[in-house]
Amino acid sequence: MPHSYDLIVGLEVHVQLQTKSKLFCRCSTKFGGPPNTQTCPVCIGMPGSLPVMNREAFRLGLKTAIALNCEIPQFTKWDRKQYYYPDLPKGYQISQYDLPMSQNGWLEISDPKKEFAAKRIGIIRAHLEEDAGKSLHDEEHGKADTRIDLNRTGTPLLEIVSAPDMRSTKEARVYLTQLRLMLLYLGVSDCNMQEGSLRVDANVNIHIQGPSGKIATPIVEVKNLNSFRHVERALAYEAKRQYDVWEETGRTIKDYPKQTRGWDDAAGTTLPQREKEESADYRYFPDPDLVPVITPKAEVEEVRSGLVELPAAIRSRLEKTYGISDYDSDVIVLQGLPFVAYFEEVAKLSGDGKKASNWVTQELLRILNDQSITLEQFPLTAPQLANLVKLVAGGEIEITRAKEVFNDMVANRRDAAAAMSALGIAKVDSSELENICKELVAANPKIVADVKAGKQQAIGALLGQAKKRNPNANPNEVRRICLELIAKMP
Amino acid sequence: MLARSATDLLRDLSVRKLSSVELTQAYLDQIKLYDGQVKAFLHVDPAAALARAKEIDDRRAAGKPMGKLGGLPVAIKDVICTKGQKTTCGSKMLENFVPPYDATVVKRLKEADAVLIGKTNMDEFAMGGSTENSAFFKTTNPWDKSRVPGGSSGGAAACLAASMAPLSIGTDTGGSIRQPAAFCGVTGLKPTYGRVSRYGLVAFASSLDQIGPMAATAEDAALLLEVLAGHDPLDSTSANIPTPEYTKSLSQPFQGLKLGLVKEHFGPGLDPEVEAAVREAVKVYQSLGATVKDISLPHSKYGIATYYIIAPSEASSNLARYDGVHYGYRTDEKQMLAELAAERKSLEAKQDEKGLKNLDTALIRLYRKTRAEGFGPEVKRRIMLGTYALSAGYADKYYLQALKVRRLIRSDYDAAFQEVDFIIGPTAPNPPFKIGEKSGDPLAMYLEDLYTVTANLAGIAGISIPCGLTSGKTTGSPLPIGLQIQARPFDEDRLLRAAAMFQRGTDWHTKRPNL
Amino acid sequence: MSLTRADVEKVSLLGRLRLGDAELDTMTEQMGRIVGYIEQLGELSTDNVQPMAHAQEMHNVFADDALGASLPRDAALANAPKKDAECYRVPAVLGE
Ligand SMILES: [Zn+2]
């Protein structure tokens, strides 16, 4: 490629807030109900009905905005965004236009694999709005009627708009991962992408290093991104496509308007979405049916001080407190708050943070993945696992055997002592161990000679033989005793 | 019996000198006799009304507790939702719309043991000042059936003037209670914005709409307001303040009452007979001890321009929901699709690329045809105006500027109410006009709202009470003239007292047309 | 600057109305006069005036997040001009 370029990405994330009832009426927000069974005059926009703001939705929005380091203006209001679509029964969406509930925040992202340096992604604004319903299209023929289900209409959404601060597909993915994690920690959303609780649109263009300076291509909004993987693929595709189009046409941001394209994951391409010329004129104006919200500074501080510990803070605390690597802390925090708590309990009770971290990030996670179970379904309590870790840390049991014990504990839902006795694992009496070693040394003159000649590693063969005579023989002990015996030999 | 006030009738009902069935039957008879000419009602269900009256009578006979309206019939403007009963808003769009819920005021009326006697005609979606914009028929003025009853609550006012109901519910967005009350010679109160819940009132302009009582007298209006008013958690704009007992304070005299006469209200365009009647009314107040002061509302001359930006803007949004998908009228879909296919074919034959690109999709055409057929001309005009005023490039110039002038208008009132208790003047510049007289000139029609729109913009209370009749020399038959009194926000109790004070000293409110 | 027929036609699409030729002429003439009249607001200087969007200036009106009754589906769909047993129906809108 003759010119290098930078990818410029900003993301708009719609998050469904976890309330029982909708944003402006008291219908259920539950996913998956039979069509049109969760509606009322308000959410289907029946003549005469009026909206009343859900207090909890506002509180969840506030919590999120504060966690995203946003400014919370004292005054915010509701606006109507007007467009016609059958799944929007009022002909307008209640949203926030010029005075959103929050703005100018940031989210710090970092990559434990160190592919990019830690950086802050700006949050331009986060505002509340109501969701639309669902259009059930006749996908096969495209001919039959479209059917409209309004169950989802009026569900509370928080739209989080990032600044165009991401420079790679990787950064975009990490931003989404960290944002999602934070929302989960805050408990404001279940972030379930399959159920549409978290939706992503990407604004993307590239900055090309041209011969006479930087050239920006026209911005494209990519829609229909149903997973983080889609986001990565679509961004990579768009970068290349925009470069090719620029080479072919020379179009830049200055002479070509923003377009909307949809991601087709099966085809691995983005396709232009049909738009009418007038469709962008949303004719926003303040919703006269709703009154503004005033949030005093004290209330903001109250919410701030009541915030749970956020993922970034937990990561650095785990690293400091338990001396674990940033890679491990990332793995632990990614699993969610219950997992963090579990790890911390194991670390504290076992007294060895590093070993605790190894066990939970390797053995425990392996079980969860292999068996497709959640931590709640995992059979061992933290004290049970801590007990095993402690035995390992104290040299009471050797690591390979400990893994056998672990598997047995999981399979038979019993604690370490029971598993060990079932497996016949007991600490070998020191005189017995000494006898075994004496016999081995006597029976292997060649090894003794090799060791004497300075080939210490030759001792390894004795360890295996010791294990055969008594499976509980601790290899470290065997090594130590044998070396001592050999040293004493003439 | 029908000439008596609601308060009087209620007294007889409560001591069982009169039954609700007898009373309801008498009004139903009057409707049967005269509504063929007046055409105040869109729907009347005599059987249901009588059954309800009987049920109330039975409860009263059994000594059960009674609501405040204890068996009085009430007519309801057809813009207010009644569960299981058509609510058309005077529009073809909602010709068959049956709400699955009751408006809060309807709930309150039912709880107060009112008998809902029927739903009254109106300008389509409350847009108009003559009830000529009803999609169904024009209501006539009972005083002169060649004239309009005013509007948009024309049916609500006419049914009172024709003694077809003792109490009536109207709505007022720019004068729609007060102006028809003036035109029909009855009392009509637009409460302060937020005093009465709008839940279930089909919105025209949400920041201006207000439901209010219409009746023969201020005392009856007070009785009805007591039932309608009060905080409603279903309406975010409903004021969370206690409701005074309006009927209790009604006869308290005023000490040192100060009235303001707005000099801008007595300019050119005011009919001389209306002016004379209003000046006479001012004298009545003076004779009752009030002092009168000339005041100025300097921005009131911008009222119409401001109103005709804000109201259509909100209306264009509120009426977006009528798209033929979820309720209401829908165009003939087959025919629409056939038309569209024919258009496409002809454009293709002409190889008209631009035409093809701009051709509506089936969905857009469904919307456009549905709305073109379902709405009448005035509604379309206001949707067009409002859409334009909010559109990109014009929103700041029109809509935002109007919101700012709205504040100036409100500030004028705040300043005026520092000096006076009430502002009095004409309700409308002219007596009722002839049917069809102004229908070709929308701007002329809009200018008739000059004295009333500012109260809606400012959100304050206003009442119209009868204060005279034209001589009939220029109008053919004597026609009612209305006196408008405006008050501070949430000052309805004193406003009603001031109106009752006038009615104790005059008998204009007792005059009824010869049907 | 006066309102043209093309402007009015554009607004009619934005407001999802369809005006016939004669209607478009009348609308252009009437809107032109009304807009001409409301232009007078431009003569006021309002730089330091706060817009007033509500008739009473209230704030922070909320409802608790508690479940209420929804409409039975039949009642929700009762007024729909075209429907099936579960949904509202519109002509195919795929790709729009
Ligand atoms: Zn609902």
Side-chain angles (χ1 to χ4, degrees):
Chain A
M1 226 173 259
H3 302 281
S4 69
Y5 63 79
D6 289 323
L7 180 66
I8 312 292
V9 180
L11 295 173
E12 288 174 22
V13 176
H14 284 87
V15 185
Q16 183 184 324
L17 297 174
Q18 249 171 341
T19 54
K20 289 193 208 73
S21 64
K22 294 184 180 180
L23 189 52
F24 298 113
C25 68
R26 306 289 72 83
C27 289
S28 169
T29 55
K30 212 166 148 204
F31 178 82
N36 294 303
T37 54
Q38 289 161 212
T39 69
C40 72
V42 177
C43 56
I44 54 184
M46 267 206 183
S49 67
L50 294 171
V52 184
M53 174 76 200
N54 184 329
R55 187 194 313 275
E56 178 68 2
F58 191 83
R59 200 185 64 84
L60 294 178
L62 197 61
K63 215 165 132 175
T64 310
I66 291 170
L68 285 168
N69 306 293
C70 286
E71 294 164 11
I72 310 298
Q74 272 207 28
F75 180 95
T76 188
K77 68 179 172 77
W78 308 103
D79 300 285
R80 294 182 180 179
K81 177 181 180 177
Q82 313 196 65
Y83 65 92
Y84 287 86
Y85 205 73
D87 62 18
L88 187 73
K90 298 191 297 296
Y92 58 83
Q93 177 193 29
I94 305 177
S95 180
Q96 302 198 279
Y97 181 49
D98 54 337
L99 298 169
M101 65 174 300
S102 71
Q103 60 200 15
N104 299 333
W106 49 266
L107 177 68
E108 184 165 283
I109 61 168
S110 60
D111 179 21
K113 289 180 188 149
K114 306 285 189 284
E115 280 174 34
F116 60 86
K119 66 189 282 191
R120 282 182 180 184
I121 304 300
I123 304 293
I124 296 174
R125 57 190 278 157
H127 72 254
L128 286 161
E129 63 185 28
E130 57 176 349
D131 206 346
K134 244 190 281 178
S135 299
L136 311 165
H137 302 294
D138 174 19
E139 302 281 354
E140 262 175 55
H141 307 94
K143 284 262 157 60
D145 279 353
T146 292
R147 304 166 71 229
I148 311 295
D149 171 12
L150 297 182
N151 279 353
R152 203 179 63 185
T153 310
T155 298
L157 298 178
L158 188 72
E159 179 175 341
I160 302 168
V161 184
S162 91
D165 287 349
M166 284 155 270
R167 292 293 172 271
S168 65
T169 56
K170 170 92 183 178
E171 286 185 15
R173 189 189 178 110
V174 171
Y175 168 79
L176 289 171
T177 308
Q178 305 275 335
L179 178 63
R180 179 174 176 276
L181 194 65
M182 193 180 89
L183 298 166
L184 288 171
Y185 271 76
L186 287 168
V188 297
S189 174
D190 65 18
C191 295
N192 187 330
M193 285 188 92
Q194 277 77 49
E195 295 180 1
S197 303
L198 192 150
R199 283 168 252 164
V200 184
D201 298 329
N203 284 298
V204 53
N205 73 342
I206 56 174
H207 288 177
I208 300 161
Q209 283 313 327
S212 47
K214 190 185 78 181
I215 303 154
T217 56
I219 294 175
V220 169
E221 179 171 359
V222 188
K223 292 188 174 282
N224 196 31
L225 300 167
N226 296 323
S227 75
F228 292 177
R229 172 107 190 90
H230 290 189
V231 175
E232 269 187 301
R233 291 188 67 203
L235 291 176
Y237 173 84
E238 260 306 302
K240 173 146 189 342
R241 189 193 67 80
Q242 291 188 18
Y243 186 86
D244 292 346
V245 170
W246 171 75
E247 275 207 317
E248 199 182 302
T249 65
R251 273 180 203 154
T252 73
I253 195 166
K254 290 190 192 116
D255 51 42
Y256 204 73
K258 178 171 163 174
Q259 334 153 45
T260 304
R261 300 177 71 91
W263 173 246
D264 179 342
D265 197 62
T269 56
T270 62
L271 294 169
Q273 291 196 334
R274 188 191 156 145
E275 268 180 302
K276 280 241 153 200
E277 182 194 343
E278 46 82 38
S279 68
D281 192 348
Y282 292 124
R283 289 162 289 134
Y284 280 101
F285 80 106
D287 192 327
D289 289 332
L290 287 161
V291 302
V293 177
I294 291 176
T295 313
K297 283 228 153 48
E299 195 183 324
V300 174
E301 289 318 311
E302 200 185 301
V303 173
R304 197 191 306 282
S305 61
L307 279 187
V308 294
E309 193 181 15
L310 296 177
I314 298 178
R315 272 193 297 268
S316 68
R317 184 172 60 76
L318 295 186
E319 287 157 27
K320 273 197 204 103
T321 313
Y322 304 105
I324 63 174
S325 69
D326 52 359
Y327 187 86
D328 276 1
S329 74
D330 193 60
V331 172
I332 291 169
V333 172
L334 265 177
Q335 303 305 316
L337 200 52
F339 197 90
V340 172
Y342 190 98
F343 159 72
E344 291 206 69
E345 199 177 347
V346 175
K348 277 183 197 140
L349 293 174
S350 68
D352 189 326
K354 272 190 188 161
K355 282 211 166 59
S357 161
N358 289 340
W359 279 87
V360 298
T361 59
Q362 289 162 30
E363 299 309 309
L364 199 167
L365 271 187
R366 179 176 57 76
I367 298 286
L368 298 192
N369 289 336
D370 289 355
Q371 303 188 4
S372 303
I373 54 169
T374 63
L375 183 63
E376 288 76 52
Q377 295 165 304
F378 180 68
L380 302 186
T381 63
Q384 283 177 314
L385 181 56
N387 210 6
L388 180 62
V389 174
K390 203 171 171 180
L391 290 174
V392 176
E396 303 282 312
I397 178 170
E398 162 276 322
I399 188 75
T400 348
R401 295 246 70 190
K403 286 181 185 170
E404 287 170 38
V405 172
F406 175 79
N407 288 338
D408 179 88
M409 288 167 75
V410 171
N412 299 305
R413 299 173 175 264
R414 52 189 170 199
D415 59 21
M420 282 165 74
S421 87
L423 292 171
I425 300 175
K427 200 168 180 208
V428 184
D429 181 80
S430 59
S431 61
E432 192 196 333
L433 201 59
E434 187 122 5
N435 284 338
I436 292 173
C437 290
K438 277 180 183 155
E439 284 172 32
L440 286 175
V441 168
N444 292 284
K446 174 142 189 349
I447 291 173
V448 172
D450 285 349
V451 173
K452 283 258 181 212
K455 284 172 76 181
Q456 290 253 336
Q457 64 272 34
I459 202 86
L462 296 184
L463 306 186
Q465 291 188 33
K467 197 123 205 154
K468 272 183 200 144
R469 288 173 192 237
N470 188 331
N472 295 324
N474 184 327
N476 291 332
E477 285 291 289
V478 172
R479 177 196 304 271
R480 185 181 58 76
I481 297 168
C482 287
L483 285 174
E484 273 173 27
L485 289 171
I486 292 169
K488 282 184 208 154
M489 287 166 78
Chain B
M1 171 165 64
L2 301 183
R4 295 166 59 197
S5 78
T7 310
D8 250 17
L9 293 167
L10 182 61
R11 219 167 279 135
D12 284 4
L13 283 168
S14 61
V15 296
R16 297 177 63 199
K17 246 170 85 182
L18 177 67
S19 76
S20 178
V21 169
E22 287 170 288
L23 186 63
T24 304
Q25 187 61 60
Y27 283 113
L28 288 170
D29 291 347
Q30 181 82 350
I31 291 169
K32 207 168 173 196
L33 265 176
Y34 297 108
D35 204 39
Q37 311 158 41
V38 178
K39 298 183 192 150
F41 285 96
L42 282 169
H43 338 279
V44 179
D45 183 346
L50 288 169
R52 168 80 173 147
K54 171 150 195 327
E55 185 261 320
I56 293 169
D57 284 338
D58 290 350
R59 251 188 304 127
R60 179 175 270 127
K64 299 257 171 67
M66 267 292 119
K68 274 187 178 161
L69 298 178
L72 283 173
V74 179
I76 295 177
K77 187 177 177 180
D78 207 26
V79 71
I80 295 170
C81 288
T82 41
K83 184 174 177 174
Q85 213 181 6
K86 274 186 193 175
T87 301
T88 68
C89 299
S91 180
K92 183 177 171 188
M93 190 61 96
L94 291 179
E95 190 168 2
N96 296 307
F97 176 63
V98 180
Y101 73 105
D102 271 333
T104 296
V105 292
V106 170
K107 236 184 226 166
R108 289 189 181 194
L109 287 168
K110 286 181 176 173
E111 281 161 16
D113 289 323
V115 173
L116 307 187
I117 196 164
K119 308 231 23 207
T120 56
N121 198 18
M122 56 185 281
D123 285 302
E124 183 178 5
F125 285 103
M127 296 176 191
S130 66
T131 316
E132 292 168 288
N133 297 331
S134 166
F136 305 109
F137 44 75
K138 297 174 172 59
T139 299
T140 63
N141 192 316
W143 291 84
D144 176 348
K145 292 181 195 85
S146 69
R147 291 177 188 272
V148 302
S152 63
S153 313
C159 75
L160 292 170
S163 303
M164 299 189 292
L167 295 170
S168 178
I169 310 293
T171 68
D172 191 316
T173 306
S176 284
I177 286 176
R178 291 160 289 161
Q179 182 254 26
F183 277 18
C184 292
V186 300
T187 299
L189 170 71
K190 181 204 98 73
T192 309
Y193 186 86
R195 181 58 99 181
V196 178
S197 167
R198 292 185 297 115
Y199 193 80
L201 158 60
V202 180
F204 158 16
S206 315
S207 84
L208 304 164
D209 294 341
Q210 191 61 194
I211 294 173
M214 302 177 79
T217 67
E219 192 179 22
D220 291 354
L223 172 70
L224 192 47
L225 183 62
E226 232 171 75
V227 172
L228 302 178
H231 178 242
D232 179 10
L234 297 179
D235 175 0
S236 306
T237 63
S238 149
N240 195 355
I241 55 171
T243 308
E245 284 189 282
Y246 300 108
T247 48
K248 294 264 160 69
S249 55
L250 213 59
S251 52
Q252 279 173 32
F254 274 105
Q255 301 287 331
L257 184 65
K258 275 187 267 178
L259 301 177
L261 276 185
V262 182
K263 60 177 188 226
E264 290 85 358
H265 286 181
F266 293 87
L270 179 58
D271 177 90
E273 280 193 279
V274 173
E275 175 164 4
V278 169
R279 298 229 181 255
E280 201 52 46
V282 172
K283 281 189 195 144
V284 171
Y285 271 112
Q286 283 172 314
S287 75
L288 295 168
T291 55
V292 175
K293 196 172 167 181
D294 279 331
I295 56 161
S296 170
L297 298 172
H299 297 95
S300 62
K301 66 171 171 171
Y302 298 106
I304 295 288
T306 306
Y307 178 84
Y308 278 96
I309 294 171
I310 294 174
S313 293
E314 292 184 15
S316 72
S317 174
N318 285 330
L319 272 61
R321 68 192 66 201
Y322 307 111
D323 58 6
V325 176
H326 308 97
Y327 29 71
Y329 175 81
R330 176 188 281 199
T331 189
D332 183 324
E333 200 177 309
K334 272 210 187 99
Q335 198 191 324
M336 178 276 292
L337 290 171
E339 262 176 43
L340 204 53
E343 281 173 48
R344 176 175 300 279
K345 220 169 152 190
S346 125
L347 289 166
E348 278 167 353
K350 284 187 280 183
Q351 297 191 322
D352 183 345
E353 290 299 321
K354 189 161 176 270
L356 280 168
K357 188 172 166 279
N358 289 332
L359 187 65
D360 292 342
T361 62
L363 181 66
I364 289 180
R365 179 61 61 87
L366 177 81
Y367 287 153
R368 297 184 76 179
K369 258 201 121 197
T370 293
R371 290 162 63 80
E373 293 164 2
F375 290 138
E378 182 59 31
V379 172
K380 287 185 203 173
R381 199 147 42 230
R382 299 207 193 181
I383 290 173
M384 290 290 291
L385 268 175
T387 305
Y388 178 64
L390 288 174
S391 65
Y394 299 98
D396 282 3
K397 181 180 175 192
Y398 296 122
Y399 179 72
L400 186 65
Q401 178 71 351
L403 290 190
K404 290 174 163 191
V405 179
R406 181 178 191 179
R407 184 171 301 280
L408 297 175
I409 289 168
R410 169 68 188 249
S411 304
D412 284 355
Y413 273 114
D414 288 345
F417 286 125
Q418 294 285 315
E419 295 183 54
V420 298
D421 297 303
F422 302 106
I423 291 168
I424 67 169
T427 304
N430 294 297
F433 46 88
K434 291 267 187 194
I435 290 171
E437 188 181 329
K438 291 184 200 279
S439 47
D441 187 352
L443 184 57
M445 188 80 102
Y446 297 172
L447 293 171
E448 290 290 306
D449 302 339
L450 176 67
Y451 304 137
T452 46
V453 292
T454 47
N456 301 77
L457 290 167
I460 64 168
I463 195 169
S464 179
I465 54 176
C467 72
L469 289 169
T470 62
S471 64
K473 272 184 211 136
T474 51
T475 54
S477 40
L479 297 170
I481 296 169
L483 175 74
Q484 181 179 221
I485 316 175
Q486 295 178 333
R488 295 181 187 103
F490 303 108
D491 205 13
E492 288 85 1
D493 49 342
R494 297 192 336 133
L495 179 60
L496 285 162
R497 265 167 73 196
M501 174 179 167
F502 182 83
Q503 290 180 343
R504 279 196 300 275
T506 57
D507 64 355
W508 297 113
H509 58 286
T510 64
K511 305 268 191 250
R512 285 290 168 269
N514 195 346
L515 293 172
Chain C
M1 174 206 64
S2 66
L3 208 60
T4 65
R5 200 172 189 273
D7 292 335
V8 173
E9 198 164 7
K10 210 176 127 193
V11 173
S12 81
L13 172 59
L14 202 51
R16 294 292 186 270
L17 289 170
R18 189 171 153 78
L19 304 175
D21 275 350
E23 255 185 308
L24 208 52
D25 288 335
T26 314
M27 190 67 83
T28 305
E29 185 271 324
Q30 290 176 337
M31 276 180 75
R33 282 201 296 134
I34 298 163
V35 170
Y37 178 80
I38 63 181
E39 293 270 345
Q40 62 173 291
L41 293 192
E43 63 193 51
L44 282 169
S45 154
T46 53
D47 289 350
N48 297 314
V49 182
Q50 279 295 313
M52 177 174 167
H54 290 82
Q56 300 299 336
E57 301 192 298
M58 304 159 62
H59 55 83
N60 296 39
V61 174
F62 293 109
D64 290 334
D65 181 29
L67 285 186
S70 291
L71 285 172
R73 177 156 62 200
D74 291 355
L77 295 175
N79 284 290
K82 194 179 184 190
K83 65 200 165 205
D84 53 37
E86 296 181 324
C87 288
Y88 306 89
R89 298 188 79 120
V90 291
V93 293
L94 203 61
E96 278 183 22

